[in-house]
Amino acid sequence: MEVALDRSAALRPFLPRLTIRWIVEQPDLRVQAIDGTVVFVDISGFTKMSERLARNGRIGAEEVTDVVGDVFSLLLATAYANGGGLIKFGGDALLLFFSGADHAPKAVRAAAGMRRTLSELGGIDTSAGKVRLRMSVGIHSGLFHFFLVGERHRELIMTGAAASTTVAMEGTANAGEIVVSPDTAALINADQLGAPKGDGILLRRQARISVGLRGFEPPPQPVPAEVDLTIGIPVALRDLLVAGSGDAEHRRVTIGFLHYDGTDDLLAALGADPFADALHELVSAAQIACDEHRVTFLGTDIDHDGGKIILVAGAPTASGDDEARMLAALRQVQGAATAIPVRAGVNTGHVFAGDIGPPYRRTYTVMGDAVNLAARVMGKAMPGEVLASQAVLDSCSVTFDTKELEPFLVKGKTLPVYASVIGPPQGAKESGDVHDLPLIGRDFETALLQRSLRSTLSGSGVLLEIAGPPGIGKTRLLAELRAAAVEARTITTACDLYSASTPYRPVREIMLQALGLDGAATESAIVSNLRGVVTTKAPQLEPWIPLLAVPLDVSVPSTEQVDQLGEEFRRARLEQAVHDLLDAVLSSATLIAIEDAHWMDEASSELFRHLAREVHTRPWLICVTRRDEETGFVPPSVEGTVSIKPPPLTDEQMLELVMVATEDAPLRPHEMASLAERSGGNPLFLKELMAAARWAGGIEGLPDTVEAMVTSQIDRLSADERRMLRYASVLGMSFTADGVAGLLEPGRQPAATLWQRLDEFVARDDDGQTLRFRHALMRDAAYHGLSYKRRRELHRLAGLEIEQRRRDADAEVDLLALHFFHAHDHDRAWRYSRAAAVSADSKFATVDAAEHYERALEASRRIREPVAVEVAGVYEALGDLRERIGQYPEAARAYTAARRLVPDDAVTQGRLCFKH
């Protein structure tokens, strides 16, 4: 009972008051018609601000969220103080409901108060300049239809004619205007009304209006102990919201907007209860698709004559292949052929994800330019279509039959948007494993490949498993095996996300190749060939041809033997029949290669487990590649099974790969060493890092592909474990448990077993005290997920902790410089960065010294009164370093800057003369 109370207390702020009351009083009811007034607020200027800040990348998305969260809280204080309640938050829009006595006057008073609040807020300072937000408001009073529908969770939806009228009123209003419907106008004082506008009436501006206080907080809504509010929260969000981690994150996600249309006429024609059933069918179809493909049902929103269901893959956790998962989920909803028609738009990109709002009413959301574009792509979709941006197709692991639209322009984008209508999937893209690099550091693994091949050629088969994380080289080793298997027949297939729910898909491809056919063979050709092979090579299987036809996905009339076979025995008999057929047609050495077996469907997995039990008695080498996780086909521990789990390559081996890959355009030694170290022994990560370095002209970036793969690994952790890993990343590649504890709230300590649970990411050094990230990309991905605000706080705490415990003035100045620089503590950053540069230069670490001087100069621009001669000295010292390593143009620029600051300095001028 106490657990239920705790969960309800944590979840209460994330649910509308109407939803809570509904779940408490009438949980089985799907529809209610409630008399009241709805206020639809759209914040104008938000989109322009969002698009301007989007040019600043991730920090821009975070800034947008901070601004909107602050404004959101101010407006809600006014709305709640006047008796309203938030129904939906749509990024730049609020949907508020007022009921009970005098609902229309309360709603109008709240709307006017919110307008005044926003006006008094004035211009908001942002990194993209000052922004003034205004609001357009539509208000309508009447009988509103609310629906609480869905199988996995109960989602509150408002739709119907009254909702459409509210949207129409908002659409009529310009920025700064409030338009009320005639129905609302009839319920308020006439002196509050202005001129007609469209189908509505403008609300007159009033000189004095009562507004809510900034600190206003309504009392919590009571929830009986036996009621668990999780029923109102999307499944993928429950654990996160209950845990209350509180840390917003930067994430790369795929966003899908599913739009449903025609609800007004359908509701009028069917009536409330049948329409509720139809809406329940649609929402349930979306929820089931989300659960099956590990996509988050984020929420719903209002629209004219319909509404939107918002889905996101990659938040609050990523599973990998997010684009493919989203498209699979949307196509599944599309294929459900629900009574309410749908269309969809999809985009992918970086967002800021977390919950916003005051303590009494919060919403988990994702915000950023990528979300805006997804909504606009949806706007171009026709009924029944799934429309995806080119970014989605480029990043997706699956190829589709597509129809490209003419490029179109959208508000806020200079360049046209490219998008395509998504048709049936065509299969997995070619693996991202590295084929264009030599096979280095895999002598042990290749020896096992050769031994397995020799065993098979001598008649003793092997089930060979190559397992590991993405990019470690599984496909590269399989390619090596295929190249060596010149004396064996080769049959290949690959599993993918789309085939994971199709029974016997990989078995069908293997059987077709074994029968001498390809995937384009007609059903009649397959049946004819199957009968011919069975007759000539395995006549004992003739009664079981109908069972063999099942994995081949063809129709064959049943036989007496099949009819007499009990249902509980058919699957085992089918598996044996397939085994006997393959035994008959694959009598000589055969390599059966199966890629990405972690996607294999359950029926195929069972069949291959059956084959594995006798593989050592057949001349077959069944080689499967898969991620090291407990999904799909996991080879059993039986005779003839060999497992290869390639470890990360060493730094020396990675450096050799870098040297080979960059022969045509060599990198500097320190850059090659940095790439080798950061890649963590993963050849694909190295390849992506090198590609990013060539494109960006530097080696510090974190490519989206790498970030997505590492983030999906981090997201397997619990919310608290993920938080600790992110906090540890602020301290660098190595840290101590006490150091991380120092970043936590007073009195809070991580569990004693935490670092053992994080063994996949963190290793303990020989001293027993120091912990170290297993490779730099894990640390980078964890760090990049933190909000910039949280980073600054943690860096400052780390710097202060070092200041307090150090005894030697010269000790750890490099760490102090780094922490205070990233904490935006500019005075300390200026002081420590100079000291760190001198220290690094004395140790001949020229590159590090130059970096510290650059940071010192950046900090000097943000302190109140920097001493010109000191700044000039830093420029001069930086010029000396640049000159020493042969960067003469950079050195000249540094000397020039020094001369401008101290024009009479003879030393500086002398150096300039020398350089020129």
Side-chain angles (χ1 to χ4, degrees), residues 812-861:
E812 300 183 283
V813 288
D814 53 342
L815 287 177
L816 288 165
L818 181 145
H819 285 306
F820 286 122
F821 176 80
H822 290 298
H824 292 190
D825 187 332
H826 305 302
D827 289 316
R828 283 186 170 97
W830 164 243
R831 183 168 75 250
Y832 287 123
S833 293
R834 286 182 294 160
V838 172
S839 175
D841 192 25
S842 69
K843 299 170 185 174
F844 312 107
T846 308
V847 173
D848 291 338
E851 186 173 345
H852 284 302
Y853 278 133
E854 294 281 9
R855 286 176 177 162
L857 291 169
E858 187 169 340
S860 74
R861 301 181 190 109

Side-chain angles (χ1 to χ4, degrees), residues 585-599:
V585 297
L586 302 178
S587 56
S588 60
T590 304
L591 169 62
I592 301 175
I594 307 170
E595 292 196 70
D596 296 326
H598 53 277
W599 289 124

Side-chain angles (χ1 to χ4, degrees), residues 708-837:
M709 285 187 276
V710 178
T711 299
S712 67
Q713 291 176 266
I714 293 174
D715 282 349
R716 296 177 192 170
L717 303 171
S718 70
D720 194 54
E721 290 168 347
R722 205 159 61 229
R723 186 186 189 199
M724 291 300 101
L725 196 70
R726 293 198 191 286
Y727 281 23
S729 70
V730 172
L731 302 177
M733 278 294 292
S734 61
F735 56 93
T736 64
D738 288 343
V740 177
L743 304 180
L744 303 178
E745 297 85 352
R748 179 174 179 180
Q749 291 289 327
T753 59
L754 172 70
W755 303 112
Q756 285 97 349
R757 298 199 303 272
L758 295 178
D759 181 68
E760 180 182 357
F761 304 92
V762 173
R764 193 175 293 274
D765 281 357
D766 293 338
D767 62 11
Q769 299 298 316
T770 305
L771 296 156
R772 183 178 301 277
F773 279 91
R774 290 195 177 275
H775 64 73
L777 289 179
M778 287 181 174
R779 182 263 167 191
D780 292 349
Y783 184 79
H784 279 69
L786 283 167
S787 69
Y788 287 90
K789 180 179 180 181
R790 180 66 73 193
R791 290 183 207 177
R792 290 193 293 271
E793 294 170 353
L794 296 175
H795 277 297
R796 186 170 188 277
L797 287 172
L800 291 175
E801 192 275 334
I802 295 172
E803 268 192 339
Q804 290 170 4
R805 66 173 164 76
R806 74 188 187 122
R807 298 174 181 173
D808 183 349
D810 294 328
E812 300 183 283
V813 288
D814 53 342
L815 287 177
L816 288 165
L818 181 145
H819 285 306
F820 286 122
F821 176 80
H822 290 298
H824 292 190
D825 187 332
H826 305 302
D827 289 316
R828 283 186 170 97
W830 164 243
R831 183 168 75 250
Y832 287 123
S833 293
R834 286 182 294 160

Side-chain angles (χ1 to χ4, degrees), residues 258 281 285 289 327-338 342 384-386:
L258 191 66
E281 175 194 37
L327 293 177
L330 291 174
R331 280 181 49 78
Q332 182 171 321
V333 179
Q334 179 194 51
T338 55
V342 295
E385 288 183 345
V386 175

